[in-house]
Amino acid sequence: MRILSGTYGFDILSIFLLLISLFLNFGRIPRLISLVLSAIVIFRAFSKNIYKRSQELNKFTSAVNNILRKFNKQLPYMTNVSLELIPPMFTRLKYDINQKIKYKIVSCPNCGQKLRLPRRKGKIIVTCKRCHNEFNLRT
Ligand SMILES: [Zn+2]
């Protein structure tokens, strides 16, 4: 990780953006937003304008604290988040992407139960695990 020396690295704001972008990946919201957020995280990590990035972090921390104060809580002020946190996040991301490639999530037309089906199996008959309704599907 010597490549990151002299650059800003990751802070809690980056982690937050990364989590949002991961979350958006599973919603129906266009992927573009998620991609843009990831791009911001990468840009911030490699940025050498440490002053400006710290200011962004300050703004973010105080905005979050304004909300947290209502619950008598406070965000710890953390500049660089340990890089050891990053690899597990990517492992998780890789796992999620793999799942998305391998499986297709569909809703049962009868009861709305979400079902996970293997992709690229051609025409299959699906039996809903909740209501036992059967329906044809192309995966
Ligand atoms: Zn069903």
Side-chain angles (χ1 to χ4, degrees):
M1 284 295 170
R2 204 150 284 180
I3 207 163
L4 288 173
S5 65
T7 56
Y8 182 71
F10 294 89
D11 58 21
I12 200 160
L13 172 55
S14 290
I15 304 289
F16 179 74
L17 292 175
L18 209 58
L19 287 175
I20 291 181
S21 79
L22 280 180
F23 178 74
L24 288 181
N25 252 319
F26 298 97
R28 303 205 168 168
I29 303 147
R31 276 234 172 132
L32 190 66
I33 302 169
S34 164
L35 276 175
V36 168
L37 287 177
S38 311
I40 293 171
V41 170
I42 292 162
F43 166 77
R44 295 187 77 246
F46 289 95
S47 170
K48 297 208 175 187
N49 194 341
I50 289 161
Y51 176 70
K52 210 161 181 196
R53 301 288 86 79
S54 306
Q55 276 192 322
E56 288 166 4
L57 175 66
N58 276 338
K59 272 188 198 152
F60 171 76
T61 310
S62 56
V64 172
N65 279 341
N66 274 338
I67 301 164
L68 288 180
R69 212 161 289 145
K70 286 175 189 144
F71 307 96
N72 278 324
K73 285 194 167 64
Q74 219 181 351
L75 204 67
Y77 185 82
M78 290 198 291
T79 42
N80 285 302
V81 170
S82 166
L83 282 173
E84 283 156 29
L85 265 173
I86 308 300
M89 284 180 128
F90 281 107
T91 309
R92 170 79 202 167
L93 183 65
K94 224 167 102 186
Y95 173 80
D96 288 337
I97 289 169
N98 258 322
Q99 289 286 304
K100 272 212 141 184
I101 292 167
K102 279 192 193 141
Y103 301 102
K104 184 177 185 174
I105 308 290
V106 295
S107 299
C108 167
N110 188 43
C111 71
Q113 169 73 41
K114 283 207 162 69
L115 305 164
R116 197 181 70 165
L117 306 168
R119 282 188 190 272
R120 282 185 236 105
K121 290 274 182 246
K123 253 192 167 171
I124 54 168
I125 298 164
V126 182
T127 308
C128 172
K129 64 181 175 193
R130 193 207 265 169
C131 69
H132 304 292
N133 170 46
E134 287 189 353
F135 57 100
N136 291 310
L137 201 94
R138 184 178 282 280
T139 60

